[in-house]
Amino acid sequence: MIRVAFISPTELISDYGNKGDIHLALSHLIDPNKANKYEQQLLASGLPIYLDNGAFENGVAENIDSLIQKAGRLKANYVFIPDTLYDRTATEAMISIAHNKLSTTATSLAAVVQADNPVDFIDSYKLMVADDRVKLIGLSILSIPKSFEQITRTDDITVNRL
């Protein structure tokens, strides 16, 4: 099933962000110490919340303990575990770490496939599909082109996703 999220500026969440099926909450916009306007707008919507880890926006993912704390406040359905851009091994290793830390929460584990070549990408995807701990798989707008450009001869995200 495809679920749509419209990521919008805080001031436009009620006009546009709430038109989706879910909110993909951007972790770096959530204050670690107190509820800010962004968090309040997401919660007020009543939509399911999937907490992103900030890897795309910041180049490095937020740490798992901070994500779990924020996910708890948001009552997030899913939290995307910290992934390492293009690094299959580091990303897959985080599945066990995150699962152990999330086991006492109501939040489910989501993971983003990371690789820099087609074999690792497909193998990592298959591993995540077979892993009962991973409840949702994300496809990276950066990792997919990097992994498949040697086959498609382009870094176009759409061509490489196909």
Side-chain angles (χ1 to χ4, degrees):
M1 170 186 292
I2 294 176
R3 291 191 175 93
V4 176
F6 296 108
I7 301 170
S8 59
T10 302
E11 296 76 25
L12 298 176
I13 289 173
S14 60
D15 293 331
Y16 299 104
N18 292 346
K19 304 269 189 256
D21 304 307
I22 63 166
H23 281 297
L24 181 62
L26 304 178
S27 66
H28 69 286
L29 297 180
I30 299 166
D31 188 305
N33 301 311
K34 63 183 185 332
N36 59 16
K37 188 172 180 180
Y38 178 71
E39 181 177 340
Q40 292 166 353
Q41 290 285 321
L42 295 176
L43 289 169
S45 75
L47 291 175
I49 296 173
Y50 297 12
L51 181 60
D52 189 35
N53 65 33
F56 175 79
E57 293 80 10
N58 300 317
V60 62
E62 192 167 328
N63 75 65
I64 189 62
D65 294 320
S66 176
L67 289 168
I68 290 171
Q69 183 258 340
K70 290 177 180 182
R73 280 202 342 242
L74 291 169
K75 297 178 180 55
N77 298 68
Y78 296 92
V79 62
F80 281 91
I81 64 168
D83 55 309
T84 304
L85 191 58
Y86 311 129
D87 190 334
R88 173 187 177 184
T89 304
T91 300
E92 290 174 0
M94 185 52 68
I95 293 171
S96 292
I97 294 165
H99 178 262
N100 291 338
K101 291 181 179 248
L102 279 168
S103 64
T104 61
T105 73
T107 303
S108 295
L109 187 151
V112 175
V113 180
Q114 290 292 349
D116 63 0
N117 66 78
V119 171
D120 278 346
F121 190 94
I122 292 168
D123 287 349
S124 188
Y125 176 79
K126 287 179 179 178
L127 179 139
M128 289 182 188
V129 167
D131 192 327
D132 290 339
R133 300 171 299 181
V134 178
K135 303 300 182 193
L136 181 70
I137 298 171
L139 302 176
S140 168
I141 195 168
L142 299 174
S143 182
I144 290 173
K146 178 80 167 170
S147 295
F148 292 98
E149 67 186 346
Q150 55 190 279
I151 294 171
T152 63
R153 301 196 194 313
T154 179
D155 64 358
D156 181 87
I157 181 65
T158 304
V159 171
N160 283 293
R161 279 191 171 171
L162 293 174

